[in-house]
Amino acid sequence: VYDALHGVGAGVLDVGLIRAGARVETLRASVDPSFGGVEPDPVGAQLDALCRHVRRDARAGLGLATDGDADRLAVIDAGGRALSDCELLALLVDNCERTGRAHEAIALSDATGSFVARVAALHGLAVLRCGAGFRSLSAALTEGRASLAGDESGGFALARFGAFQTERGNHRVWFGGWRDMDFLEFIGQEPLWCSGVSFGRKREQRIGIAVGDRLGVRRAEQFLPASGGERGAEDEHGAA
């Protein structure tokens, strides 16, 4: 089941899947400049409809959603659970190593956590930690220090065509559809990973238990003292 969130992925990812032989049911597949009045971000409440649909439809083995410009991917397993960005990145690293596209070292942002690094270690891949933002990760790719790069927000690129260099520095080439198809290639090789139970058991057997999540903060001022030495409302209630 593919939820395009009224973005530009409609008519692209679903068509690619159908041509690859998959049976695809679409949700919110009409392109709408206002995105149906909701934020086209495949996280949290925006995934509720897709999760319910996958749980209720016995034929659904997988749920996918992309954001407005289709450069971010969310994955729902057969049990209706959304995989975290780090879980998705770990599966991509695993697949790329086994298909010869990851070798020697990978670059990860500092905020990515330990789960992806443990998957890399399982395959004997060195991990290069980089600062926040994809600029430093792109530098690792263009300088030949890493074969692939990823971050905690779902960013992913391969050295072969994941970044380029200009006089102003390193830049990322983003093609979310390629990453989406790479993940589906992995699922095709190990279909049991679609099952939430199978995913959890395989992960724990091979890597151990890992727990992680992201906390969204709208603005830093929520956690800063108000002017005049008084505490702000968010700070007063211990939002941090």
Side-chain angles (χ1 to χ4, degrees), residues 148-221:
L148 66 82
D151 65 14
E152 75 287 350
S153 63
F156 179 73
L158 279 176
R160 288 190 298 172
F161 45 80
F164 65 95
Q165 194 168 30
T166 69
E167 294 180 356
R168 294 189 175 185
N170 300 302
H171 300 273
R172 172 179 45 163
V173 174
W174 190 267
F175 178 46
W178 172 85
R179 177 213 44 218
D180 304 346
M181 296 302 290
D182 188 83
F183 173 77
L184 293 170
E185 175 191 58
F186 172 77
I187 290 297
Q189 295 171 353
E190 291 200 25
L192 285 178
W193 282 87
C194 294
S195 166
V197 175
S198 297
F199 178 85
R201 288 178 180 171
K202 280 178 173 282
R203 179 180 66 185
E204 291 175 15
Q205 290 171 358
R206 299 174 62 191
I207 306 160
I209 298 174
V211 179
D213 203 349
R214 297 175 60 198
L215 174 64
V217 179
R218 291 186 178 180
R219 58 182 183 277
E221 290 82 357

Side-chain angles (χ1 to χ4, degrees), residues 47-48 50-52 54-55 75-83 194 196:
L47 295 175
D48 287 349
L50 178 59
C51 290
R52 288 194 301 269
V54 172
R55 282 195 298 266
V75 176
I76 312 300
D77 68 22
R81 184 183 72 89
L83 273 64
C194 294

Side-chain angles (χ1 to χ4, degrees), residues 50-74:
L50 178 59
C51 290
R52 288 194 301 269
H53 196 97
V54 172
R55 282 195 298 266
R56 294 172 180 174
D57 191 343
R59 301 169 302 167
L62 186 69
L64 300 173
T66 50
D67 66 347
D69 57 358
D71 70 349
R72 292 186 59 209
L73 173 72

Side-chain angles (χ1 to χ4, degrees), residues 25-186:
E25 182 176 350
T26 58
L27 303 176
R28 292 183 279 193
S30 59
V31 177
D32 179 358
S34 64
F35 303 105
V38 300
E39 184 178 359
D41 191 13
V43 296
Q46 316 295 43
L47 295 175
D48 287 349
L50 178 59
C51 290
R52 288 194 301 269
H53 196 97
V54 172
R55 282 195 298 266
R56 294 172 180 174
D57 191 343
R59 301 169 302 167
L62 186 69
L64 300 173
T66 50
D67 66 347
D69 57 358
D71 70 349
R72 292 186 59 209
L73 173 72
V75 176
I76 312 300
D77 68 22
R81 184 183 72 89
L83 273 64
S84 71
D85 289 325
C86 287
E87 287 176 318
L88 175 57
L89 178 57
L91 292 176
L92 287 168
V93 169
D94 187 81
N95 186 49
C96 286
E97 192 283 332
R98 291 191 295 161
T99 54
R101 283 172 282 190
H103 49 84
E104 296 183 3
I106 67 171
L108 300 175
S109 64
D110 288 330
T112 301
S114 63
F115 181 41
V116 182
R118 285 152 67 181
V119 173
L122 188 69
H123 293 297
L125 298 171
V127 175
L128 174 65
R129 290 290 184 176
C130 301
F134 222 90
R135 178 180 294 273
S136 56
L137 293 172
S138 294
L141 296 176
T142 57
E143 294 167 6
R145 293 182 287 129
S147 54
L148 66 82
D151 65 14
E152 75 287 350
S153 63
F156 179 73
L158 279 176
R160 288 190 298 172
F161 45 80
F164 65 95
Q165 194 168 30
T166 69
E167 294 180 356
R168 294 189 175 185
N170 300 302
H171 300 273
R172 172 179 45 163
V173 174
W174 190 267
F175 178 46
W178 172 85
R179 177 213 44 218
D180 304 346
M181 296 302 290
D182 188 83
F183 173 77
L184 293 170
E185 175 191 58
F186 172 77

